[in-house]
Short mmCIF file of all heavy atoms in Angstrom, two decimals:
data_model
loop_
_atom_site.label_atom_id
_atom_site.label_comp_id
_atom_site.label_asym_id
_atom_site.label_seq_id
_atom_site.Cartn_x
_atom_site.Cartn_y
_atom_site.Cartn_z
N LEU A 1195 105.36 18.28 78.77
CA LEU A 1195 105.28 17.71 77.43
C LEU A 1195 104.53 18.64 76.48
O LEU A 1195 103.46 19.16 76.79
CB LEU A 1195 104.54 16.36 77.49
CG LEU A 1195 104.36 15.62 76.15
CD1 LEU A 1195 105.71 15.19 75.59
CD2 LEU A 1195 103.44 14.41 76.34
N VAL A 1196 105.12 18.87 75.30
CA VAL A 1196 104.47 19.63 74.22
C VAL A 1196 104.55 18.75 72.97
O VAL A 1196 105.63 18.43 72.50
CB VAL A 1196 105.17 20.98 73.97
CG1 VAL A 1196 104.50 21.70 72.80
CG2 VAL A 1196 105.15 21.84 75.22
N GLU A 1197 103.40 18.39 72.44
CA GLU A 1197 103.36 17.47 71.31
C GLU A 1197 102.32 17.96 70.30
O GLU A 1197 101.14 18.10 70.63
CB GLU A 1197 103.00 16.06 71.81
CG GLU A 1197 103.28 14.95 70.82
CD GLU A 1197 103.16 13.58 71.49
OE1 GLU A 1197 102.47 13.47 72.52
OE2 GLU A 1197 103.76 12.63 70.96
N ASP A 1198 102.77 18.25 69.07
CA ASP A 1198 101.84 18.76 68.06
C ASP A 1198 102.58 18.80 66.73
O ASP A 1198 103.78 18.50 66.65
CB ASP A 1198 101.35 20.16 68.44
CG ASP A 1198 99.96 20.46 67.90
OD1 ASP A 1198 99.56 19.83 66.91
OD2 ASP A 1198 99.29 21.34 68.46
N ASP A 1199 101.84 19.21 65.67
CA ASP A 1199 102.46 19.45 64.36
C ASP A 1199 102.79 20.94 64.27
O ASP A 1199 101.91 21.79 64.52
CB ASP A 1199 101.50 19.06 63.24
CG ASP A 1199 101.27 17.56 63.16
OD1 ASP A 1199 101.99 16.81 63.85
OD2 ASP A 1199 100.37 17.14 62.42
N PHE A 1200 104.03 21.24 63.91
CA PHE A 1200 104.48 22.63 63.91
C PHE A 1200 105.09 23.01 62.56
O PHE A 1200 105.79 22.21 61.93
CB PHE A 1200 105.52 22.87 65.01
CG PHE A 1200 104.98 22.73 66.40
CD1 PHE A 1200 105.31 21.63 67.18
CD2 PHE A 1200 104.13 23.69 66.93
CE1 PHE A 1200 104.82 21.49 68.46
CE2 PHE A 1200 103.63 23.56 68.23
CZ PHE A 1200 103.98 22.46 68.99
N LEU A 1201 104.85 24.26 62.16
CA LEU A 1201 105.57 24.86 61.03
C LEU A 1201 106.92 25.39 61.46
O LEU A 1201 107.85 25.49 60.65
CB LEU A 1201 104.75 26.04 60.46
CG LEU A 1201 103.41 25.74 59.80
CD1 LEU A 1201 102.68 27.04 59.52
CD2 LEU A 1201 103.61 24.94 58.52
N LEU A 1202 107.01 25.75 62.72
CA LEU A 1202 108.21 26.40 63.23
C LEU A 1202 108.37 26.03 64.70
O LEU A 1202 107.41 26.09 65.47
CB LEU A 1202 108.10 27.91 63.06
CG LEU A 1202 109.15 28.84 63.68
CD1 LEU A 1202 109.31 30.09 62.81
CD2 LEU A 1202 108.76 29.26 65.10
N VAL A 1203 109.59 25.65 65.07
CA VAL A 1203 109.97 25.45 66.47
C VAL A 1203 111.30 26.15 66.65
O VAL A 1203 112.28 25.83 65.97
CB VAL A 1203 110.11 23.95 66.82
CG1 VAL A 1203 110.68 23.78 68.23
CG2 VAL A 1203 108.77 23.23 66.70
N GLU A 1204 111.36 27.13 67.55
CA GLU A 1204 112.60 27.85 67.79
C GLU A 1204 112.86 27.97 69.30
O GLU A 1204 111.98 28.39 70.05
CB GLU A 1204 112.55 29.26 67.18
CG GLU A 1204 112.64 29.28 65.67
CD GLU A 1204 113.97 28.75 65.15
OE1 GLU A 1204 115.02 29.00 65.79
OE2 GLU A 1204 113.96 28.06 64.11
N VAL A 1205 114.05 27.56 69.69
CA VAL A 1205 114.51 27.70 71.07
C VAL A 1205 115.59 28.77 71.05
O VAL A 1205 116.71 28.53 70.58
CB VAL A 1205 115.06 26.36 71.61
CG1 VAL A 1205 115.50 26.52 73.06
CG2 VAL A 1205 114.00 25.26 71.48
N LEU A 1206 115.25 29.97 71.52
CA LEU A 1206 116.09 31.14 71.29
C LEU A 1206 116.77 31.65 72.55
O LEU A 1206 116.18 31.67 73.63
CB LEU A 1206 115.24 32.26 70.68
CG LEU A 1206 114.70 31.98 69.27
CD1 LEU A 1206 113.73 33.05 68.85
CD2 LEU A 1206 115.82 31.84 68.27
N ASN A 1207 118.00 32.07 72.36
CA ASN A 1207 118.79 32.69 73.42
C ASN A 1207 118.75 34.21 73.30
O ASN A 1207 119.05 34.92 74.26
CB ASN A 1207 120.23 32.18 73.33
CG ASN A 1207 121.03 32.42 74.60
OD1 ASN A 1207 120.50 32.33 75.70
ND2 ASN A 1207 122.31 32.71 74.44
N ILE A 1208 118.41 34.72 72.11
CA ILE A 1208 118.30 36.16 71.86
C ILE A 1208 116.97 36.44 71.17
O ILE A 1208 116.19 35.52 70.92
CB ILE A 1208 119.47 36.70 71.01
CG1 ILE A 1208 119.51 36.05 69.63
CG2 ILE A 1208 120.80 36.49 71.75
CD1 ILE A 1208 120.58 36.63 68.72
N GLN A 1209 116.71 37.69 70.85
CA GLN A 1209 115.40 38.09 70.36
C GLN A 1209 115.10 37.64 68.93
O GLN A 1209 113.94 37.39 68.59
CB GLN A 1209 115.26 39.62 70.42
CG GLN A 1209 115.22 40.19 71.82
CD GLN A 1209 115.06 41.69 71.81
OE1 GLN A 1209 115.58 42.37 70.92
NE2 GLN A 1209 114.35 42.21 72.78
N SER A 1210 116.12 37.58 68.08
CA SER A 1210 115.84 37.37 66.66
C SER A 1210 116.77 36.33 66.06
O SER A 1210 117.84 36.01 66.61
CB SER A 1210 115.97 38.69 65.89
OG SER A 1210 117.22 39.28 66.11
N ILE A 1211 116.36 35.82 64.91
CA ILE A 1211 117.10 34.80 64.17
C ILE A 1211 116.95 35.12 62.69
O ILE A 1211 116.01 35.82 62.29
CB ILE A 1211 116.53 33.39 64.49
CG1 ILE A 1211 117.47 32.27 64.05
CG2 ILE A 1211 115.14 33.21 63.92
CD1 ILE A 1211 118.57 31.99 65.01
N GLY A 1212 117.85 34.63 61.86
CA GLY A 1212 117.73 34.84 60.42
C GLY A 1212 117.75 36.30 60.04
O GLY A 1212 118.50 37.09 60.61
N PRO A 1213 116.90 36.73 59.08
CA PRO A 1213 116.91 38.12 58.60
C PRO A 1213 116.14 39.04 59.56
O PRO A 1213 115.11 39.62 59.21
CB PRO A 1213 116.24 38.02 57.23
CG PRO A 1213 115.29 36.88 57.37
CD PRO A 1213 115.96 35.89 58.29
N ASN A 1214 116.68 39.17 60.78
CA ASN A 1214 116.04 39.99 61.84
C ASN A 1214 114.60 39.54 62.08
O ASN A 1214 113.69 40.36 62.24
CB ASN A 1214 116.08 41.47 61.49
CG ASN A 1214 117.49 41.97 61.22
OD1 ASN A 1214 117.73 42.65 60.24
ND2 ASN A 1214 118.44 41.63 62.07
N PHE A 1215 114.41 38.22 62.15
CA PHE A 1215 113.11 37.62 62.44
C PHE A 1215 112.91 37.68 63.96
O PHE A 1215 113.27 36.75 64.69
CB PHE A 1215 113.10 36.18 61.93
CG PHE A 1215 111.79 35.47 61.98
CD1 PHE A 1215 110.59 36.17 62.04
CD2 PHE A 1215 111.75 34.09 61.96
CE1 PHE A 1215 109.38 35.50 62.08
CE2 PHE A 1215 110.55 33.40 62.01
CZ PHE A 1215 109.36 34.11 62.07
N ALA A 1216 112.36 38.80 64.43
CA ALA A 1216 112.27 39.08 65.87
C ALA A 1216 111.01 38.45 66.44
O ALA A 1216 109.93 39.03 66.41
CB ALA A 1216 112.28 40.58 66.12
N ILE A 1217 111.15 37.23 66.97
CA ILE A 1217 109.98 36.50 67.48
C ILE A 1217 110.08 36.24 68.98
O ILE A 1217 109.18 35.66 69.57
CB ILE A 1217 109.80 35.17 66.74
CG1 ILE A 1217 111.10 34.36 66.70
CG2 ILE A 1217 109.26 35.41 65.34
CD1 ILE A 1217 110.94 32.99 66.08
#
Side-chain angles (χ1 to χ4, degrees):
L1195 180 66
V1196 178
E1197 196 169 23
D1198 209 336
D1199 291 350
F1200 294 107
L1201 294 171
L1202 172 149
V1203 173
E1204 287 296 323
V1205 181
L1206 294 172
N1207 197 36
I1208 62 175
Q1209 293 181 326
S1210 55
I1211 195 82
N1214 304 133
F1215 188 22
I1217 50 175

